[in-house]
Amino acid sequence: MTSLALLASALEPVRRGWHVFPLRPGDKRPAGHAERLCPGTGRCTNGHRKPEQRATTDPDLVTAAWTVQAYNIGIATGPSGLLVVDLDVRKPEEQEGTPDGVESLSALCERAGQTLPPTYQVRTPTGGQHLYFTQPAGTRLHSSAGRLGHHIDTRGWGGYVVAPGSTTPHGAYTVTDESPVAPLPVWLSEQLSERPKPAPHTVMTPVRDGTKAAQVALDRECAVIRAAGDHSRNNTLHKSACKVARFVAWGNISRSTVEEAIQAAGESTGLSVAECTTTIRSAMDWILTHATPREAT
């Protein structure tokens, strides 16, 4: 897609009052330097400016950026007053019958005896769905991963979504429902406002199915990360990543599966994308280098 076409797509969320920032062309990652590579000059003279801080509703700034480069478009959900429910598709390696995001959300609604109102929706290139809602007044709901159900993430403060008009090698982000953005239902807001309790630290009984043990450990550590306090969240992220990295070293689960899940859990606590990526990569690399062979169970 040309810079002018993407400019038109970038100005549409601005027209709605949503804060946008550039993503790398054809990619979902923010454009510009990572925090660990920040030169401390220019716009970062007074400290690194994260994508959420750089996002703008100024059409002149948007025009200046997108006429130079064919950037994809990121919407900073928190400053935009949005809470986006991200329904992912089932992954190829998952067993048949594993619920995808749509099925998990349907089951959640059924258990709660609730329905969702019509709202603005976007289809992702891989077949997932983004359901846009406005955040309740006076709240700051952060991003979450899996709290509402399997393959259901949310994007709020500390997160972002890729806007319609953006493209990746898998295809384009397209609007599938032009309905006005509905307020987030109270019952969903209440579930997202509750702080999950840390999973108990118990000694895991040795099992022969290493893959099952790895998934149990990953789910448990993601819950621990999401429940971490502001002053301990980075340290908790590192410790939990180290624990699950052992299963990667033993060949019980893929590195990409672990990194994706722990990254989402870390971001849900308010840590930046760069902070999470750096911490997880450091933990993973160290464990993979120093892990000892697993004893037979």
Side-chain angles (χ1 to χ4, degrees), residues 228-248:
D230 290 344
H231 298 295
S232 63
R233 54 190 180 178
N234 198 291
N235 189 42
T236 300
L237 180 68
H238 187 271
K239 288 182 178 179
S240 292
C242 285
K243 290 178 182 179
V244 187
R246 294 175 300 166
F247 291 94
V248 177

Side-chain angles (χ1 to χ4, degrees), residues 34-295:
E35 186 170 5
R36 67 181 183 279
L37 301 175
C38 183
T41 58
R43 68 184 182 217
C44 297
T45 300
N46 296 319
H48 179 68
R49 289 178 61 81
K50 301 174 184 178
E52 189 172 84
Q53 297 169 310
R54 291 191 282 117
T56 182
T57 56
D58 186 333
D60 291 336
L61 292 178
V62 172
T63 300
W66 268 269
T67 51
V68 172
Q69 182 76 28
Y71 293 114
N72 271 346
I73 308 135
I75 299 174
T77 42
S80 301
L82 296 172
L83 191 289
V84 177
V85 178
D86 180 4
L87 305 178
D88 203 359
V89 297
R90 192 165 35 245
K91 292 179 170 54
E93 65 270 17
E94 291 183 309
Q95 294 182 349
E96 186 176 351
T98 301
D100 60 17
V102 172
E103 293 166 335
S104 293
L105 183 61
S106 177
L108 176 66
C109 291
E110 184 175 347
R111 290 194 300 272
Q114 301 284 348
T115 59
L116 294 179
T119 194
Y120 185 81
Q121 294 186 34
V122 174
R123 186 182 187 278
T124 72
T126 55
Q129 296 183 35
H130 290 168
L131 280 59
Y132 285 57
F133 297 96
T134 56
Q135 293 223 14
T139 64
R140 285 175 66 96
L141 294 175
H142 288 264
S143 301
S144 71
R147 184 180 296 188
L148 295 178
H150 194 56
H151 285 317
I152 305 178
D153 298 334
T154 64
R155 297 289 178 259
W157 284 94
Y160 67 90
V161 290
V162 184
S166 302
T167 60
T168 72
H170 298 289
Y173 287 79
T174 57
V175 178
T176 55
D177 192 330
E178 291 277 9
S179 296
V181 178
L184 182 69
V186 173
W187 66 277
L188 272 183
S189 177
E190 290 174 346
Q191 293 202 32
L192 291 170
S193 299
E194 295 175 357
R195 294 287 292 178
K197 296 180 180 179
H201 289 275
T202 56
V203 178
M204 192 161 52
T205 304
V207 294
R208 295 187 180 279
D209 184 356
T211 300
K212 181 178 179 180
Q215 188 61 56
V216 170
L218 177 59
D219 292 344
R220 182 182 63 201
E221 294 306 324
C222 283
V224 171
I225 293 167
R226 290 193 294 269
D230 290 344
H231 298 295
S232 63
R233 54 190 180 178
N234 198 291
N235 189 42
T236 300
L237 180 68
H238 187 271
K239 288 182 178 179
S240 292
C242 285
K243 290 178 182 179
V244 187
R246 294 175 300 166
F247 291 94
V248 177
W250 295 332
N252 298 135
I253 193 169
S254 72
R255 177 168 181 167
S256 61
T257 297
V258 170
E259 288 183 336
E260 179 181 351
I262 293 185
Q263 177 83 21
E267 291 180 27
S268 74
T269 68
L271 289 171
S272 70
V273 173
E275 286 174 314
C276 293
T277 300
T278 301
T279 299
I280 295 167
R281 186 174 297 159
S282 173
M284 192 71 65
D285 289 345
W286 196 95
I287 292 296
L288 293 181
T289 301
H290 297 88
T292 57
R294 186 175 191 178
E295 296 180 358

